[in-house]
Every structure is written in structure tokens, then in C-alpha cells.
Amino acid sequence: MTLKLNDAYVRPFLDEAQLAVIGSEVRSAQQTLLAKNGKGNDFLGWITLPDDYDKDEFARIQAAAEKIKKNCDVFIVIGIGGSYLGARAVIEFLRSPMYNNLKKDTPDIYFSGCNISAQSLNELLSICEGRDVCINVISKSGTTTEPAVAFRLFRNLLEKKYGKDGARERIFVTTDKEKGTLKQFSDEAGYETFVVPDDVGGRFSVLTAVGLLPIAVSGVDIEQLMEGASDAAALYTAETDPEKNACLKYALLRNSLYRQGKTTEILVNYEPYAAMFNEWWKQLYGESEGKDGKGLFPASVIFSTDLHSLGQFVQDGTRNLFETVVSVKNASSQLAVPYDEANVDGLNFLAGTDLNTINQTAMKGTVLAHIDGGAPNIMIEIEEKNAYCLGHLIYFFEFACGVSGYVLGVNPFDQPGVEAYKKNMFALLGKPGYEDRKKELEARLQ
Amino acid sequence: MTLKLNDAYVRPFLDEAQLAVIGSEVRSAQQTLLAKNGKGNDFLGWITLPDDYDKDEFARIQAAAEKIKKNCDVFIVIGIGGSYLGARAVIEFLRSPMYNNLKKDTPDIYFSGCNISAQSLNELLSICEGRDVCINVISKSGTTTEPAVAFRLFRNLLEKKYGKDGARERIFVTTDKEKGTLKQFSDEAGYETFVVPDDVGGRFSVLTAVGLLPIAVSGVDIEQLMEGASDAAALYTAETDPEKNACLKYALLRNSLYRQGKTTEILVNYEPYAAMFNEWWKQLYGESEGKDGKGLFPASVIFSTDLHSLGQFVQDGTRNLFETVVSVKNASSQLAVPYDEANVDGLNFLAGTDLNTINQTAMKGTVLAHIDGGAPNIMIEIEEKNAYCLGHLIYFFEFACGVSGYVLGVNPFDQPGVEAYKKNMFALLGKPGYEDRKKELEARLQ
């Protein structure tokens, strides 16, 4: 089985009658999603995406990735939010969080345009010195401040270094299919473009060109990624019984915990390579559910690292949290504890034991400790650390998120709150058309 | 002023009568800390540390750092929890989060022994191939599993590469002053050792040898760091009025918010270089306060990056959170938005504007948006991005943490919950002496 959900460490915290009630809400939510007659139904393209994606564009993505791999040492991905988190999560999970520090036959990959930091941009510009560079700018509108500024800088760099004609071969644009100034500009400039679909929101876009091009450049098999997602889609859309459908089960459990006052969900992983996957998950759930004064606050940890940081709180702090633990059954890297004659640390009883065994045991010991401390644990396990299983896991979390949001009673596919800071920022920066708001805001600053 | 706290965006959410009550609790807590007659008073060495540290050892740290800088390309710091977070936080804050990817005249620095990941260790071993390596193992007892395993591996690597005599010059040990097997072993092997003081807990240890040696290797001026902390100590221990003492004020505000049901505190920063500082803060507060079923859950974000991820939730999700925003007044890196003839993104109104101005404006716009959404904001600003101001900020958060913990009614200086998972892990791994617990736990695994 590609993915298993174990509810043994959460069930004792839940009430069977309540589970039955929420279980029927979960079934309805699944049907609403599939019938496409619920809130935000303009943004449900991700549901069938793993099967009905544009095959021609997919081949173009693979070809562009090969070209990029050949032509550069440094590949800069420019995007913010859903335009970088998915790709970064997959690359770190399947390749490495130390990807840029390891010897490899694929380019270094840096993510830019996801902050307004002069230092970050200056450092990245210095990293590019003397090296061949390609860029992929990802922005539906082309007007989001952070990626737009980075695109200005790196386009300048490329045109200076290679001339306009040379730069044209090194700039790849993922944007709207036809609308928007970036699409128009790219066509005029002759950049190759890929599509941010109209009916897939940013946080659900990792399996579109948004995620797939950078992922392919890193050397990950994107066909396997799509195949895993496709098999997951078949599984989770068909079965209507939460007891037989892990995706519905996850939605059921977390909503049940939420209604008992567990308002924070911590995504737990035992490998550093999952840190950015946790960040992807935080956007997916936080942005989908955190509205109308509702939602589970999404937090994340890497254990055992953070057992020596947030572990105390999880064990014994405010009891408004639960954990969702994601693990991989079969390890992809082995290393045995060496025997040490001096046995300074008293660990010779572990000599010869593979670290994965110790890590899995740490997980088991921690789960028992945390449930004893009153923190319920939902356990999710995938079979292997590969593109197929990760594609499955991505779809699992996406579909469960849609279901969960409907059970919560929100529109899981909009993000109206993200506009608030942008409007204020533009007004305070003196953008034409915001003059009244500027005055009003400036008067409130203290 | 080195540090300013602005309470204008939190005060409207608070009740003046309640503030007065908690204000007097804060004053008492400060006195209890200074009189050293409260809970956990065996662990208050950090209070006077910035002045009464061991000057001879400090000079030895500086000399060792110079030796390490000369002798290696890769410096491996082995430690978990408080034994790595402080150093990593300071190095990333003052040097760069991309430190290992930048050209520089100091060694690359990698943190190891803070997980049980075969992949991480294998990758780091491969990074060391063909390069000169020094290590600093940091462990009070020498028996904590994660750093102990890493120490076995890297000690082997060094002894294989340089022989026992060569390795001796490249291994630096920070451990107990006299007790513990690691101290004894190091003395026998002839390693240079530094001290983890008895009266300073791990999460308060960044200004001891634990943090200072790795920080010095990165090229940061540790004298300035101590001086900043020393001036902060003078300031925050002397003034007893929370209205005149930013440190007491912070403790007052966060406890007041907590009693109003704001159970999650999000530390906010607008520069990626602060991400690990946020992690250091999360351990400091989470491990100090998360006990007896109490405490503020510590979370963190980097804006504007995460405005496109958790921003929606902060703006409009479950209203049990507040933000503490840390910013630096004077930027250390500049970069202007370039003019673009095509003006594809419509940002020419910002051409020539320094990114720091835009970033500061994003912060102001966000604060107003978030308080409008019902999320109170505590604003903390330091003057410069340098060692002096960061030393000040570190002491600020440490002293406020001690005060806060007493106001909360817990012992802020222990971490009993961290033992729970360790005992379970050892039992399940078959450590001699844990046989009964092993049976009992295995019966509960499902």
C-alpha cells in the first residue's frame, strides 16, 4: 500500500458519536467537491489534474528542463507562496535539503522573489558571478511585487551577461495562458512560456508547470510524480467510506479534534529533508482553512531535532494541540552506528544498528510519550521515498484539504485575507490611485 | 537606543486594570529572579554571565577559533537543542542563511548531531571528502544519542584522515567542567575542552563556550556580542517599572494576551537571515514555558515570504494568536528597484527606491492590516544588524523569558518533558536496564 493512515493513537481521544456525525459531513463534502457545486468551485482543476493535464506542455517542460540542465550552473526560480513552496518541497524531499552543497550533475537551484530582502538578492547576485545562469519566473499576473522585483534584477543580469538574444534562451516564464502583462511581454520578447491554469490556485499548483519545471531540473522523475498523484486520485475520489478511505479519514480525525478544542495541528517529520514539505503543507492548510475566524493553526517540527526544542511543549504545555506524523517506511539511505572501543557515550549496545531503525524507534517512543501527555497523534506512512509515493502524498493532502475546508464551513479555495497587507503596502508606498488610503493609514502609524 | 519596544498596536486589545495586576506580578518576578529565590534557581548563571564570564576561557575560545579558521575548509558543529540553536541563529543573523554558499575567508560551518538521519550524516560525510575538517562536539554529558553518534562518525573520519595525533589538533570539545565521561575521555585523548557551565541551561547557553566558539569561527566579533548583552543586563535588571523597562514590558504584554486566550505567539521577522533566530526563540520560550498544561505556543514566520502562506490565517483565522515583530532599524545591505522601460509589472513608481524602504513599508502595512483583523502586534526594534545589538536582543529575550515564566507560575529553567521520549526510545531499543518498560511499551504499539 502506497499510503497508510493509523488512527490507533488518536481514536482514544475521540467520541464515537461525534465521529459518526462528522463522518457524514465528510462524505457530503467529498460529494460536493466531486459534483463541483460547493464554494470556490471555479478552482477545482487540481482534482482531475493528475490525469487530464496538457501532455504537450508536459513534454515541453521535460525538454526545457534538459536544456536548462545543459546550459547553466545556477537555476534561479522566481516566485512566492504557491509559486515556490511546492517545487522547493519536492526537490528537498526527493533530492536533499543540502542539494546546493552536494556534488551532482544537475544545476544548483535557488529560490528568489519570495521576500523583499536586499541582502538575499545581493547574495544571490554574487553567487551568480562567473557562473552560467537560467531563470524561471512564476507569476500568474506578473505584477506581484516580490517576484517582479527579482525578475527585473535577474533579467538585467542575463541581458548584460548574454545580450538580449542570449538571455532569451535562458528565461522561462510560467504565467497566465493568455491574460496578463507578463504573458504579453514574454510573447513579444520570445521567452518560452508555461501555463498557470485558471482553475488551480497557487497552493494547489505543484503538479502544474509551476512546480514541475523546477522539479524536473533537479533531476526528479516528474512522470512518476504524476503517476503517484493519479493513482491517489482514483483511490480517494472513488471510496466514500471514511473507514476505508485514508484521505477522508484524515479530514474526519482533524475536524473531530478541532471541535474538541485542539486548535493547533503540528505536522511532524523525522527527517530534515521534509522541512520544506512541512512548509508546503502549512500554506495548503493555513491558507485554505484560516478564515472567518476559524481553522486549525498549522505548525511543524522536525524530530528528533525539535524534541530538544518544542518537545517539552508538545509533551506538557497548553493542551490545545495534536500531531500528524508523516513517515517513510523504507529508508533510502543507510548508516550503522560504529563500534567504539572507549564507549564514552555508552552506546555500544547500538553498534551495528542502522540509524533508520533508531529513528523509527525514536518515533514510536515519542508517539507513546506524547499520547501519555495528552497530545493525540495521527500517523501517516508512505511506502518509499520516491517521486511516485510523494505524488500520492501530495494529492492525499490536497484532496483531504478540500474535504476538510468544506466540513469546516469555509471556502477552501480563496484567500481574501492576503490582499489586506498588499493594499496597505501599496498605499503607504504611494502607488497611484491609493492616495486617500495613504493618508488614512499614515495617520494611524505610531 | 539599542532596543525599542512599541506597544501601540497591542495596547488597544488590553485591559488597563488587568495590566496593572499583571504589572505587579512582573515586578515581583524580576525581584525573584534577581534574589535567586524562585523555582529553578540553580540555573540562573545566565543572568550575570555577560559580565562575570571566564576571561581566560574567552581568550582560549578566540585562539581556538583562529586555529580552526586556519586549519580547515569545513567546520562541523555537533550538538542538539541549545547546543546548536544559539550558534546557528547568530551566524545566520550576522553572516547569512546562505553562509555556506557564499565566498568568504572563514570555513563552511555545518551543524550535525541534531537528528537521527542517515541521509543527513551520509551527505555531510560526502561534503567532507577531499576537504580539511575540524569538529566541535558540544554535549554536557556526552551521552545524548544524536550528538554521540555524530561524534563517533566524525572522530573516525578525522582519525582515518589525519591519524590520532593529527585528529587531536582538530577536535574541540565543549562539555562539563569536570564530571561526565566526555570530559574524562577528552582529557585522556588530549582534546582542548571548553565548559558548559553547571548553572546555565542549554537554551540559555549561547553566550557561553557552547555558542561562542562556533560563532567566533564564522568571523563574528564575540566581544561585541558580550558587550551588547552586558549593557542589556545592566538596563533590564536595574529598572523595576515595566513602563520604562522594555524587557518587563514584553513579559507584561504577552502574559496579558495569554490570559485573554491568545495562546499562540508568532515571532515575525522580515528578513530570511532571522529564520534560525526565530528557532532559537522558539526553544527558549517553548521549553521554558510549555509545562503543567500551560504556556504560549511559540510559532514563527518570515514575512513577506509567509504572508503568502500563513498570512491568510494570521489575518482572518482562529483568533487565538498574536504577533511579536522583531525588526532592525538601519539596514546593512542596500539594493534599489531598477527602472524598467517596459514596466511590465507596473512597478516603475518604485524605481530607485531601496528595497529596505519597501520592506519596512510592507511591515507597517501588515501591522495595520493584522490589527484590523484582530491580531495584536508587539513591535521590537533593534538599532543595527551587528553583534552588539544582537547580544542585547539575546539578553532581552532571555531575561524576559525568566520573568515571563515566573508570572506564568512555572519553573522556566527545567524541561522534565524532554525525558519522556528518551526513556521510551531507550527501552524500545533494548538498552540494558529498561527490560520491563520495553515489554510494556511494545504491548502498546499498534
Side-chain angles (χ1 to χ4, degrees), chain B residues 90 93-94 215 220-229 384-394:
Chain B
V90 172
F93 197 103
L94 294 178
I215 291 169
V220 166
D221 184 339
I222 58 174
E223 285 182 34
Q224 284 293 306
L225 197 68
M226 295 305 277
E227 200 176 312
E384 306 281 347
K385 178 173 168 287
N386 62 24
Y388 178 83
C389 291
L390 186 59
H392 187 112
L393 184 65
I394 286 168

Side-chain angles (χ1 to χ4, degrees), chain B residues 128-273:
Chain B
C128 291
E129 276 170 28
R131 304 176 76 190
D132 277 317
V133 180
C134 287
I135 67 176
N136 176 204
V137 57
I138 305 166
S139 178
K140 189 159 178 69
S141 67
T143 61
T144 303
T145 309
E146 292 86 346
V149 169
F151 185 42
R152 285 185 177 214
L153 289 161
F154 286 100
R155 187 156 51 91
N156 280 356
L157 180 142
L158 290 183
E159 292 185 351
K160 221 169 151 180
K161 194 174 168 110
Y162 303 105
K164 282 219 172 204
D165 290 341
R168 180 179 302 129
E169 300 302 308
R170 295 174 173 275
I171 296 176
F172 299 83
V173 178
T174 308
T175 188
D176 194 90
K177 195 168 185 169
E178 45 195 358
K179 287 173 304 197
T181 50
L182 183 56
K183 171 62 178 165
Q184 196 192 330
F185 176 74
S186 300
D187 287 346
E188 286 166 14
Y191 304 147
E192 180 161 15
T193 62
F194 302 93
V195 175
V196 182
D198 283 330
D199 56 355
V200 179
R203 58 189 175 276
F204 288 86
S205 70
V206 55
L207 300 177
T208 70
V210 170
L212 293 176
L213 179 56
I215 291 169
V217 171
S218 80
V220 166
D221 184 339
I222 58 174
E223 285 182 34
Q224 284 293 306
L225 197 68
M226 295 305 277
E227 200 176 312
S230 169
D231 288 350
L235 202 60
Y236 300 131
T237 56
E239 174 61 58
T240 62
D241 181 356
E243 288 305 319
K244 295 177 191 160
N245 181 332
C247 200
L248 300 186
K249 173 70 79 75
Y250 175 56
L252 168 60
L253 295 172
R254 60 196 300 282
N255 276 285
S256 302
L257 290 163
Y258 178 66
R259 293 197 201 169
Q260 292 190 15
K262 303 287 188 193
T263 51
T264 294
E265 177 175 9
I266 307 178
L267 198 71
V268 179
N269 242 295
Y270 279 75
E271 285 281 354
Y273 63 65

Side-chain angles (χ1 to χ4, degrees), chain A residues 114 117 152 271 295 305 318 345, chain B residues 114 117 152 271 295 305 318 345:
Chain A
C114 49
S117 165
R152 284 184 177 216
E271 286 280 355
T305 306
T318 302
D345 48 28
Chain B
C114 49
S117 165
R152 285 185 177 214
E271 285 281 354
T305 306
T318 302
D345 47 28

Side-chain angles (χ1 to χ4, degrees), chain B residues 27 31-32 60 65-66 99 101 113 119 122 134 136 145 149 241 272 300 308 314 373 390 408 416 420:
Chain B
R27 285 168 188 258
Q31 293 316 310
T32 307
R60 278 203 302 120
E66 288 310 312
Y99 174 83
N101 300 103
Q119 180 179 321
N122 279 324
C134 287
N136 176 204
T145 309
V149 169
D241 181 356
S300 68
H308 295 253
V314 176
L390 186 59
L408 187 66

Side-chain angles (χ1 to χ4, degrees), chain A residues 139-155:
Chain A
S139 178
K140 190 158 178 68
S141 67
T143 61
T144 303
T145 310
E146 292 85 346
V149 170
F151 186 40
R152 284 184 177 216
L153 289 162
F154 285 102
R155 187 156 51 90

Side-chain angles (χ1 to χ4, degrees), chain A residues 264 278-279 282 297-301 306 309-310, chain B residues 85 264-272 274-283 285 296-303 305-307 309-311 314 321-326 397:
Chain A
T264 294
N278 289 353
E279 293 300 314
K282 279 157 75 171
F297 182 80
S300 68
V301 290
D306 294 329
S309 158
L310 288 179
Chain B
L85 279 166
T264 294
E265 177 175 9
I266 307 178
L267 198 71
V268 179
N269 242 295
Y270 279 75
E271 285 281 354
M276 284 307 298
F277 183 82
N278 288 353
E279 294 300 314
W280 170 81
W281 173 89
K282 279 157 77 171
Q283 184 197 14
Y285 279 81
L296 281 159
F297 182 79
S300 68
V301 291
I302 296 295
F303 289 162
T305 306
D306 294 329
L307 285 169
S309 158
L310 287 180
V314 176
L321 57 83
F322 68 94
E323 293 168 279
T324 296
V325 183
V326 175
F397 275 126

Side-chain angles (χ1 to χ4, degrees), chain A residues 182-381:
Chain A
L182 183 56
K183 171 61 180 166
Q184 197 192 328
F185 176 75
S186 300
D187 287 347
E188 286 165 15
Y191 304 147
E192 180 161 14
T193 63
F194 301 94
V195 175
V196 182
D198 283 330
D199 56 355
V200 179
R203 59 189 174 274
F204 288 86
S205 71
V206 55
L207 300 176
T208 71
V210 170
L212 293 175
L213 179 56
I215 291 169
V217 171
S218 80
V220 167
D221 184 338
I222 59 173
E223 286 183 35
Q224 283 293 305
L225 197 68
M226 294 305 276
E227 199 177 312
S230 168
D231 288 351
L235 202 61
Y236 300 130
T237 56
E239 174 60 57
T240 62
D241 181 356
E243 287 305 320
K244 296 177 188 160
N245 182 333
C247 202
L248 300 185
K249 173 71 78 74
Y250 174 56
L252 169 60
L253 295 172
R254 61 197 298 283
N255 276 285
S256 303
L257 290 162
Y258 178 66
R259 293 197 200 169
Q260 292 189 15
K262 303 288 188 192
T263 51
T264 294
E265 177 175 8
I266 307 177
L267 198 71
V268 179
N269 243 296
Y270 279 75
E271 286 280 355
Y273 63 66
M276 284 306 299
F277 184 82
N278 289 353
E279 293 300 314
W280 170 82
W281 174 89
K282 279 157 75 171
Q283 184 197 15
L284 182 61
Y285 280 81
E287 200 162 272
S288 298
E289 298 193 327
K291 48 198 75 161
D292 308 339
K294 297 194 251 188
L296 282 158
F297 182 80
S300 68
V301 290
I302 297 294
F303 288 162
S304 67
T305 306
D306 294 329
L307 284 168
H308 296 253
S309 158
L310 288 179
Q312 168 66 39
F313 196 107
V314 176
Q315 183 68 44
D316 198 27
T318 302
R319 298 294 78 188
N320 63 352
L321 56 83
F322 68 95
E323 293 167 280
T324 296
V325 183
V326 175
S327 64
V328 176
K329 189 179 175 191
N330 300 316
S332 53
S333 181
Q334 276 83 34
L335 186 63
V337 175
Y339 177 79
D340 175 35
E341 207 171 329
N343 200 24
V344 184
D345 48 28
L347 292 182
N348 272 351
F349 76 101
L350 293 175
T353 306
D354 182 50
L355 281 181
N356 294 289
T357 305
I358 301 175
N359 211 12
Q360 291 267 356
T361 309
M363 180 175 78
K364 289 172 190 163
T366 303
V367 167
L368 294 179
H370 287 182
I371 62 169
D372 288 346
N377 271 243
I378 301 173
M379 310 296 291
I380 294 168
E381 183 187 74

